[in-house]
């Protein structure tokens, strides 16, 4: 690479292309060389990359994060054989510099399989396949409307027919099928959700002390403070529910809506009961601080990894009746009518008024569903049954 191009880093230390190449040679037998290409490691993407590394545990896997500074903690949480950081400032538009850097990386490191998360990595992987022999590209679609633009739809349906699309939920599958019906006809579209690594959970008292949380009944809501998460709806419902002074609503997360939500809370007179804790690293460790987990997102929500975290923590869950949450929760948890403030306010009161045994039983049901549907072994079994993976391993 020239001095003007990004220098990848592995295990927290800068390396040259030759060093990356020598560390990525294909092993003996049928071992595959796998590249996992990810936009960045924000939100759930460290654990998402971890699960795909586990699925290819017997093969040689390199994970590349295009954005974000190198981090030893990210490396540990991601797993696989090596983790590289391209440290790109942003990925908007078509960046020739990034494309050339990735091309040089591919020339030194020939990969059999590429797993690409979100559209820009899918596009970059598809572009690399024009010039390099890649047996399989798995493009993972994490949101609705990823292929709503004609150029994107044409890219995966006409220009690069070697890309197999993995939708993270049935609602994402249906959305993609609407925009790209030929993917269904060509059998290049399937659904595969997520799992989680095991998390060492703090007990209720320790979690509350570490985050300086008050005593009383705590509703917890975790996620980026963005419009589609419906935090405004939750704040309005909490204020309308008329709960006692010993009830609190706690938000973990940061985002562009932070100031607006804070101002909204102050104007409602609830700033002593609605608490914004900001970014909490590996937040799932603290979930047992909550008495109830609330997921206010509506139809725009494609999945909801935080729901898996709440299920793993044995929490009672209150979520909207949108397709995404319902798909994950199945028959566990309580639902409110999507986008309806009064419906959510009623269910918030219900969660407080019920006795602790009722909430404990609901939490145990959440954990049983997690253990039956969302373990790493279940994910790997579903992954191995994807048509292109079956063909690849035959």
């Amino acid at each position: 690479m020239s001095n003007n191009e990004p220098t990848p880093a592995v295990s927290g230390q800068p390396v040259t292309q030759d060093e990356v190449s020598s560390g990525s040679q294909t092993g003996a037998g049928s071992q595959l060389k796998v590249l996992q290409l990810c936009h960045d490691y924000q939100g759930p993407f460290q654990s998402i990359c971890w699960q795909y590394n586990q699925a290819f545990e017997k093969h040689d896997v390199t994970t590349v994060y295009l954005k974000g500074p190198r981090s030893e903690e990210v490396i540990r949480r991601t797993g696989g054989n090596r983790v590289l950081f391209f440290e790109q400032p942003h990925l908007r538009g078509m960046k020739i510099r990034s494309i050339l850097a990735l091309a040089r990386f591919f020339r030194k490191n020939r990969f059999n399989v590429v797993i690409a998360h979100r559209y820009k990595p899918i596009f970059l992987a598809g572009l690399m396949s024009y010039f390099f022999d890649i047996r399989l590209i798995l493009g993972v679609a994490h949101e609705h409307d990823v292929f709503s633009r004609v150029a994107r739809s044409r890219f995966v349906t006409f220009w690069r027919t070697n890309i197999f699309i993995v939708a993270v939920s049935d609602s994402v599958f249906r959305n993609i099928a609407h925009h790209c019906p030929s993917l269904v006809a060509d059998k290049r579209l399937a659904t595969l959700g997520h799992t989680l690594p095991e998390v060492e959970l703090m007990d209720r008292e320790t979690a509350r002390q570490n985050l300086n949380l008050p005593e009383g009944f705590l509703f917890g809501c975790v996620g980026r403070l963005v419009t589609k998460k419906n935090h405004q709806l939750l704040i309005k419902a909490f204020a309308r529910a008329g709960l006692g002074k010993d009830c609190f609503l706690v938000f973990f997360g940061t985002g562009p809506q932070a100031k607006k939500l804070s101002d909204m809370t102050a104007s409602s007179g609830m700033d002593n009961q609605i608490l914004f804790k900001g970014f909490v690293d590996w937040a799932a460790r603290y979930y047992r601080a909550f008495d109830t987990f609330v997921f206010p997102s509506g139809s725009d929500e494609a999945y909801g990894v935080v729901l898996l975290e709440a299920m793993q923590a044995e929490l009672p869950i209150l979520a909207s009746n949108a397709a995404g949450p319902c798909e994950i929760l199945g028959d566990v948890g309580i639902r409110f009518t999507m986008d309806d403030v009064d419906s959510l306010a009623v269910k918030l009161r219900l969660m407080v008024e019920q006795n602790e045994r009722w909430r404990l039983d609901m939490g145990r049901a959440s954990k049983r569903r997690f253990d039956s549907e969302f373990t790493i072994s279940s994910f790997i079994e579903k992954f191995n049954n994807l048509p292109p993976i079956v063909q690849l391993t035959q």
Side-chain angles (χ1 to χ4, degrees):
M1 288 185 180
S2 71
N3 291 333
N4 293 323
E5 291 167 349
T7 301
V10 61
S11 301
Q13 298 297 322
V15 294
T16 68
Q17 286 287 10
D18 289 338
E19 288 172 322
V20 175
S21 178
S22 64
S24 304
Q25 294 301 313
T26 306
S30 60
Q31 188 184 53
L32 298 167
K33 286 186 64 177
V34 181
L35 172 66
Q36 182 162 217
L37 196 59
C38 197
H39 190 279
D40 57 39
Y41 49 76
Q42 298 302 313
F45 280 97
Q46 295 171 51
S47 60
I48 287 171
C49 288
W50 169 85
Q51 70 189 10
Y52 281 92
N53 281 330
Q54 291 295 302
F56 277 112
E57 186 178 20
K58 296 179 180 179
H59 302 278
D60 188 275
V61 187
T62 298
T63 300
V64 168
Y65 291 114
L66 297 171
K67 285 181 60 180
R70 59 183 179 268
S71 163
E72 292 293 341
E73 189 62 22
V74 170
I75 291 167
R76 184 184 67 79
R77 291 172 180 171
T78 301
N81 297 88
R82 63 198 59 80
V83 180
L84 310 180
F85 303 87
F86 269 46
E87 302 189 38
Q88 295 289 282
H90 60 78
L91 294 172
R92 294 187 298 274
M94 186 183 297
K95 299 301 177 186
I96 300 301
R97 177 179 159 203
S98 300
I99 292 170
L100 291 175
L102 196 59
R104 294 188 182 193
F105 180 68
F106 267 80
R107 190 159 57 245
K108 290 285 187 180
N109 305 271
R110 299 300 177 93
F111 296 100
N112 309 114
V113 178
V114 178
I115 307 162
H117 297 279
R118 300 174 61 179
Y119 181 73
K120 185 53 65 84
I122 292 172
F123 170 76
L124 290 172
L127 194 61
M128 292 302 106
S129 72
Y130 274 102
F131 309 102
F132 304 99
D133 182 22
I134 302 171
R135 292 175 61 184
L136 171 64
I137 297 174
L138 289 178
V140 186
H142 296 267
E143 302 287 347
H144 298 123
D145 294 329
V146 173
F147 301 109
S148 59
R149 299 180 192 175
V150 173
R152 292 184 175 190
S153 173
R154 294 289 286 173
F155 184 75
V156 296
T157 59
F158 181 74
W159 293 111
R160 300 319 292 153
T161 57
N162 59 334
I163 300 175
F164 186 95
I165 299 297
V166 177
V168 299
S169 67
D170 288 336
S171 64
V172 173
F173 181 103
R174 291 190 295 270
N175 180 267
I176 296 172
H178 171 73
H179 294 295
C180 308
S182 66
L183 289 180
V184 179
D186 295 342
K187 298 182 179 179
R188 291 197 291 125
L189 178 63
T191 300
L192 179 63
H194 297 311
T195 183
L196 294 174
E198 290 188 14
V199 177
E200 187 174 345
L201 297 162
M202 297 180 193
D203 61 59
R204 174 190 172 97
E205 187 65 25
T206 302
R208 292 190 173 196
Q209 286 180 355
N210 285 0
L211 293 176
N212 194 27
L213 294 172
E215 289 303 314
F217 192 101
L218 301 188
F219 290 101
C221 182
V222 180
R224 275 183 49 76
L225 304 182
V226 294
T227 303
K228 78 170 187 177
K229 300 294 185 181
N230 272 4
H231 296 120
Q232 291 186 56
L233 178 84
L234 178 53
I235 290 172
K236 290 177 183 177
F238 185 80
R240 192 170 298 182
L243 303 173
K245 296 295 184 182
D246 61 343
C247 291
F248 301 87
L249 173 59
V250 182
F251 288 101
F252 290 177
T254 59
Q257 290 282 302
K259 186 178 186 306
K260 184 175 184 178
L261 295 173
S262 179
D263 291 345
M264 181 180 176
T265 297
S267 64
S268 71
M270 301 290 290
D271 45 340
N272 289 328
Q273 289 178 260
I274 300 178
L275 311 175
F276 295 90
K277 304 306 291 186
F279 173 74
V280 178
D281 186 42
W282 219 242
R285 296 176 297 170
Y286 300 93
Y287 276 26
R288 285 185 174 166
F290 305 141
D291 294 285
T292 294
F293 190 87
V294 188
F295 191 78
S297 297
S299 59
D300 289 339
E301 185 65 62
Y303 195 76
V305 171
V306 293
L307 285 172
L308 298 185
E309 294 173 343
M311 294 163 72
Q312 190 180 53
E314 297 187 57
L315 289 180
I317 297 169
L318 172 57
S320 80
N321 62 352
C326 287
E327 184 177 333
I328 295 172
L329 293 173
D331 60 354
V332 304
I334 297 293
R335 306 289 189 280
F336 70 90
T337 303
M338 178 176 55
D339 300 324
D340 187 321
V341 173
D342 289 329
S343 176
L344 178 52
V346 167
K347 297 301 170 62
L348 290 170
R349 286 198 298 271
L350 173 67
M351 299 304 292
V352 174
E353 292 167 356
Q354 291 293 336
N355 60 48
E356 185 177 2
R357 172 58 57 186
W358 182 84
R359 290 190 295 271
L360 286 172
D361 288 344
M362 188 185 299
R364 292 191 184 104
S366 295
K367 183 61 162 60
R368 286 195 298 271
R369 176 162 173 79
F370 179 88
D371 289 342
S372 66
E373 297 291 334
F374 300 104
T375 60
I376 185 60
S377 59
S378 175
F379 174 84
I380 292 174
E381 180 180 358
K382 294 170 186 175
F383 176 84
N384 287 333
N385 284 323
L386 291 175
I389 300 301
V390 172
Q391 294 173 13
L392 190 69
T393 56
Q394 282 178 343

